[in-house]
Amino acid sequence: MPLPQPDDLTSLVLRTDFGDEGAWAAVRAALDAAGEYPHATYVSELRFAGVGVQALLAEEAAADEDDKIIYVFLADAATMKDPGCPLLAVDLSDEPGRTFRVPARWFPDISANLSIANMDFAEFADASDESGTFRGFDEG
């Protein structure tokens, strides 16, 4: 079964942790408040409970070419527990399995640039700090 595909220029945010409805609502609110326009297509389906990067890669590898997506953002247990709501960004195409964390405040910039192919996943991943979190581009 292929991953859902956004039907617009938003990024797929896939919920993988179903332990706290309030935390999921808070993540969605933080992402929606971070940008002026919608940047996320939210998917909250129990079939994705606890799914990891390797399972997503296998699902994408088995998908028809027209059903493939390039990247996905996971709302996992770490996302739900951290007040910054850092999603796990996952590359499904160029460097399959490469990941980095993106706090809600940076999500609109990354989503917009990836959805229009203005920037590549690697550009954000390469700019991540030593903890594997993107916190903006160092202007200095």
Tab-separated table of all heavy atoms in Angstrom, residues 12-45:
chain	number	residue	atom	x	y	z
A	12	LEU	N	3.939	15.912	3.380
A	12	LEU	CA	3.264	14.869	4.129
A	12	LEU	C	3.828	14.782	5.542
A	12	LEU	O	5.028	14.592	5.729
A	12	LEU	CB	3.442	13.531	3.411
A	12	LEU	CG	2.727	12.334	4.009
A	12	LEU	CD1	1.219	12.508	3.922
A	12	LEU	CD2	3.149	11.072	3.264
A	13	VAL	N	2.963	14.945	6.537
A	13	VAL	CA	3.322	14.766	7.939
A	13	VAL	C	2.582	13.524	8.406
A	13	VAL	O	1.350	13.518	8.505
A	13	VAL	CB	2.958	15.991	8.800
A	13	VAL	CG1	3.241	15.716	10.276
A	13	VAL	CG2	3.731	17.218	8.330
A	14	LEU	N	3.339	12.483	8.655
A	14	LEU	CA	2.808	11.166	8.975
A	14	LEU	C	2.919	10.911	10.477
A	14	LEU	O	4.021	10.902	11.023
A	14	LEU	CB	3.609	10.128	8.196
A	14	LEU	CG	3.125	8.717	8.130
A	14	LEU	CD1	1.801	8.623	7.384
A	14	LEU	CD2	4.171	7.871	7.409
A	15	ARG	N	1.797	10.717	11.108
A	15	ARG	CA	1.778	10.440	12.545
A	15	ARG	C	2.133	8.977	12.777
A	15	ARG	O	1.519	8.080	12.211
A	15	ARG	CB	0.393	10.733	13.112
A	15	ARG	CG	0.277	10.505	14.589
A	15	ARG	CD	-1.132	10.783	15.063
A	15	ARG	NE	-1.247	10.631	16.502
A	15	ARG	CZ	-2.391	10.681	17.153
A	15	ARG	NH1	-3.522	10.886	16.491
A	15	ARG	NH2	-2.413	10.520	18.466
A	16	THR	N	3.138	8.746	13.631
A	16	THR	CA	3.537	7.370	13.951
A	16	THR	C	3.370	7.051	15.433
A	16	THR	O	3.518	5.904	15.832
A	16	THR	CB	4.995	7.091	13.534
A	16	THR	OG1	5.876	7.894	14.306
A	16	THR	CG2	5.197	7.336	12.047
A	17	ASP	N	3.085	8.074	16.241
A	17	ASP	CA	2.890	7.870	17.678
A	17	ASP	C	1.444	8.218	18.023
A	17	ASP	O	0.994	9.335	17.767
A	17	ASP	CB	3.848	8.757	18.477
A	17	ASP	CG	3.714	8.546	19.960
A	17	ASP	OD1	2.879	9.236	20.591
A	17	ASP	OD2	4.431	7.681	20.484
A	18	PHE	N	0.735	7.255	18.603
A	18	PHE	CA	-0.690	7.421	18.885
A	18	PHE	C	-0.996	7.391	20.371
A	18	PHE	O	-2.123	7.136	20.775
A	18	PHE	CB	-1.487	6.348	18.137
A	18	PHE	CG	-1.510	6.574	16.661
A	18	PHE	CD1	-0.447	6.167	15.869
A	18	PHE	CD2	-2.577	7.227	16.059
A	18	PHE	CE1	-0.454	6.396	14.501
A	18	PHE	CE2	-2.590	7.466	14.695
A	18	PHE	CZ	-1.529	7.046	13.910
A	19	GLY	N	-0.015	7.700	21.211
A	19	GLY	CA	-0.192	7.613	22.651
A	19	GLY	C	-0.879	8.793	23.303
A	19	GLY	O	-1.356	8.670	24.427
A	20	ASP	N	-0.951	9.946	22.619
A	20	ASP	CA	-1.468	11.145	23.271
A	20	ASP	C	-2.134	12.048	22.236
A	20	ASP	O	-1.451	12.727	21.462
A	20	ASP	CB	-0.304	11.858	23.966
A	20	ASP	CG	-0.719	13.078	24.768
A	20	ASP	OD1	-1.818	13.617	24.558
A	20	ASP	OD2	0.095	13.503	25.609
A	21	GLU	N	-3.466	12.071	22.250
A	21	GLU	CA	-4.208	12.904	21.286
A	21	GLU	C	-3.914	14.388	21.489
A	21	GLU	O	-3.842	15.150	20.522
A	21	GLU	CB	-5.708	12.645	21.397
A	21	GLU	CG	-6.146	11.306	20.854
A	21	GLU	CD	-5.819	11.112	19.379
A	21	GLU	OE1	-5.987	12.049	18.568
A	21	GLU	OE2	-5.369	10.001	19.031
A	22	GLY	N	-3.744	14.793	22.749
A	22	GLY	CA	-3.436	16.194	23.032
A	22	GLY	C	-2.093	16.615	22.446
A	22	GLY	O	-1.957	17.731	21.931
A	23	ALA	N	-1.118	15.713	22.508
A	23	ALA	CA	0.198	16.021	21.939
A	23	ALA	C	0.099	16.155	20.420
A	23	ALA	O	0.718	17.042	19.829
A	23	ALA	CB	1.200	14.935	22.313
A	24	TRP	N	-0.667	15.291	19.772
A	24	TRP	CA	-0.864	15.370	18.315
A	24	TRP	C	-1.528	16.695	17.949
A	24	TRP	O	-1.116	17.364	17.004
A	24	TRP	CB	-1.670	14.173	17.834
A	24	TRP	CG	-2.069	14.192	16.394
A	24	TRP	CD1	-3.342	14.108	15.907
A	24	TRP	CD2	-1.228	14.274	15.229
A	24	TRP	NE1	-3.338	14.134	14.531
A	24	TRP	CE2	-2.052	14.236	14.090
A	24	TRP	CE3	0.150	14.386	15.052
A	24	TRP	CZ2	-1.567	14.299	12.794
A	24	TRP	CZ3	0.643	14.453	13.745
A	24	TRP	CH2	-0.195	14.400	12.641
A	25	ALA	N	-2.533	17.098	18.705
A	25	ALA	CA	-3.192	18.381	18.459
A	25	ALA	C	-2.206	19.532	18.630
A	25	ALA	O	-2.215	20.492	17.856
A	25	ALA	CB	-4.393	18.547	19.388
A	26	ALA	N	-1.327	19.433	19.632
A	26	ALA	CA	-0.328	20.481	19.869
A	26	ALA	C	0.689	20.551	18.735
A	26	ALA	O	1.097	21.639	18.326
A	26	ALA	CB	0.380	20.236	21.206
A	27	VAL	N	1.095	19.398	18.219
A	27	VAL	CA	2.026	19.367	17.080
A	27	VAL	C	1.386	20.039	15.872
A	27	VAL	O	1.992	20.902	15.227
A	27	VAL	CB	2.457	17.921	16.754
A	27	VAL	CG1	3.162	17.848	15.406
A	27	VAL	CG2	3.337	17.361	17.858
A	28	ARG	N	0.173	19.675	15.571
A	28	ARG	CA	-0.530	20.283	14.428
A	28	ARG	C	-0.679	21.788	14.611
A	28	ARG	O	-0.452	22.554	13.677
A	28	ARG	CB	-1.882	19.615	14.229
A	28	ARG	CG	-1.761	18.199	13.716
A	28	ARG	CD	-3.109	17.569	13.508
A	28	ARG	NE	-3.833	18.340	12.480
A	28	ARG	CZ	-4.855	17.866	11.805
A	28	ARG	NH1	-5.297	16.658	12.035
A	28	ARG	NH2	-5.456	18.605	10.901
A	29	ALA	N	-1.043	22.210	15.806
A	29	ALA	CA	-1.203	23.639	16.077
A	29	ALA	C	0.124	24.378	15.915
A	29	ALA	O	0.170	25.471	15.340
A	29	ALA	CB	-1.774	23.845	17.481
A	30	ALA	N	1.208	23.783	16.400
A	30	ALA	CA	2.532	24.416	16.280
A	30	ALA	C	2.949	24.537	14.819
A	30	ALA	O	3.481	25.569	14.402
A	30	ALA	CB	3.568	23.616	17.066
A	31	LEU	N	2.720	23.491	14.040
A	31	LEU	CA	3.081	23.535	12.619
A	31	LEU	C	2.229	24.551	11.868
A	31	LEU	O	2.737	25.313	11.041
A	31	LEU	CB	2.942	22.149	11.988
A	31	LEU	CG	3.910	21.085	12.497
A	31	LEU	CD1	3.566	19.735	11.893
A	31	LEU	CD2	5.346	21.457	12.217
A	32	ASP	N	0.927	24.567	12.164
A	32	ASP	CA	0.035	25.512	11.484
A	32	ASP	C	0.347	26.957	11.862
A	32	ASP	O	0.241	27.854	11.028
A	32	ASP	CB	-1.424	25.192	11.806
A	32	ASP	CG	-1.905	23.905	11.149
A	32	ASP	OD1	-1.237	23.413	10.204
A	32	ASP	OD2	-2.948	23.375	11.595
A	33	ALA	N	0.753	27.183	13.109
A	33	ALA	CA	1.058	28.540	13.570
A	33	ALA	C	2.401	29.046	13.064
A	33	ALA	O	2.654	30.248	13.065
A	33	ALA	CB	1.032	28.587	15.101
A	34	ALA	N	3.258	28.134	12.617
A	34	ALA	CA	4.613	28.512	12.213
A	34	ALA	C	4.655	29.246	10.881
A	34	ALA	O	5.621	29.949	10.594
A	34	ALA	CB	5.513	27.271	12.147
A	35	GLY	N	3.642	29.095	10.067
A	35	GLY	CA	3.677	29.726	8.750
A	35	GLY	C	2.372	30.427	8.425
A	35	GLY	O	1.328	30.181	9.035
A	36	GLU	N	2.454	31.291	7.445
A	36	GLU	CA	1.285	32.062	7.031
A	36	GLU	C	0.309	31.218	6.222
A	36	GLU	O	-0.898	31.451	6.252
A	36	GLU	CB	1.771	33.252	6.206
A	36	GLU	CG	0.705	34.227	5.834
A	36	GLU	CD	1.262	35.428	5.097
A	36	GLU	OE1	2.480	35.693	5.169
A	36	GLU	OE2	0.467	36.106	4.434
A	37	TYR	N	0.814	30.233	5.487
A	37	TYR	CA	-0.006	29.385	4.623
A	37	TYR	C	0.111	27.933	5.060
A	37	TYR	O	1.097	27.553	5.694
A	37	TYR	CB	0.464	29.515	3.166
A	37	TYR	CG	0.447	30.922	2.675
A	37	TYR	CD1	1.632	31.656	2.573
A	37	TYR	CD2	-0.743	31.555	2.334
A	37	TYR	CE1	1.631	32.966	2.131
A	37	TYR	CE2	-0.764	32.868	1.906
A	37	TYR	CZ	0.426	33.568	1.802
A	37	TYR	OH	0.410	34.872	1.378
A	38	PRO	N	-0.853	27.103	4.696
A	38	PRO	CA	-0.745	25.670	5.029
A	38	PRO	C	0.471	25.041	4.341
A	38	PRO	O	0.712	25.291	3.167
A	38	PRO	CB	-2.035	25.074	4.477
A	38	PRO	CG	-2.969	26.214	4.280
A	38	PRO	CD	-2.108	27.420	4.016
A	39	HIS	N	1.228	24.264	5.112
A	39	HIS	CA	2.411	23.601	4.564
A	39	HIS	C	2.385	22.107	4.793
A	39	HIS	O	3.325	21.421	4.413
A	39	HIS	CB	3.686	24.177	5.199
A	39	HIS	CG	3.975	25.575	4.761
A	39	HIS	ND1	4.549	25.868	3.550
A	39	HIS	CD2	3.746	26.756	5.361
A	39	HIS	CE1	4.660	27.178	3.423
A	39	HIS	NE2	4.176	27.739	4.515
A	40	ALA	N	1.328	21.607	5.438
A	40	ALA	CA	1.302	20.188	5.806
A	40	ALA	C	0.017	19.514	5.354
A	40	ALA	O	-1.057	20.106	5.396
A	40	ALA	CB	1.437	20.030	7.316
A	41	THR	N	0.177	18.284	4.922
A	41	THR	CA	-0.937	17.363	4.745
A	41	THR	C	-0.771	16.338	5.848
A	41	THR	O	0.214	15.591	5.856
A	41	THR	CB	-0.896	16.689	3.357
A	41	THR	OG1	-1.099	17.689	2.358
A	41	THR	CG2	-1.968	15.619	3.241
A	42	TYR	N	-1.682	16.344	6.804
A	42	TYR	CA	-1.577	15.479	7.975
A	42	TYR	C	-2.221	14.124	7.705
A	42	TYR	O	-3.333	14.051	7.189
A	42	TYR	CB	-2.261	16.123	9.179
A	42	TYR	CG	-1.659	17.445	9.572
A	42	TYR	CD1	-2.317	18.636	9.318
A	42	TYR	CD2	-0.422	17.500	10.203
A	42	TYR	CE1	-1.760	19.861	9.678
A	42	TYR	CE2	0.140	18.717	10.566
A	42	TYR	CZ	-0.542	19.887	10.298
A	42	TYR	OH	0.020	21.093	10.648
A	43	VAL	N	-1.498	13.073	8.075
A	43	VAL	CA	-2.025	11.716	7.963
A	43	VAL	C	-1.915	11.068	9.331
A	43	VAL	O	-0.820	10.946	9.885
A	43	VAL	CB	-1.255	10.887	6.910
A	43	VAL	CG1	-1.743	9.447	6.894
A	43	VAL	CG2	-1.396	11.520	5.535
A	44	SER	N	-3.073	10.676	9.871
A	44	SER	CA	-3.138	10.030	11.172
A	44	SER	C	-3.907	8.723	10.986
A	44	SER	O	-5.111	8.657	11.207
A	44	SER	CB	-3.845	10.945	12.178
A	44	SER	OG	-3.931	10.322	13.443
A	45	GLU	N	-3.182	7.703	10.536
A	45	GLU	CA	-3.775	6.385	10.282
A	45	GLU	C	-3.048	5.359	11.137
A	45	GLU	O	-1.816	5.288	11.109
A	45	GLU	CB	-3.651	6.014	8.802
A	45	GLU	CG	-4.406	6.936	7.870
A	45	GLU	CD	-4.190	6.581	6.398
A	45	GLU	OE1	-3.623	5.511	6.090
A	45	GLU	OE2	-4.583	7.402	5.545
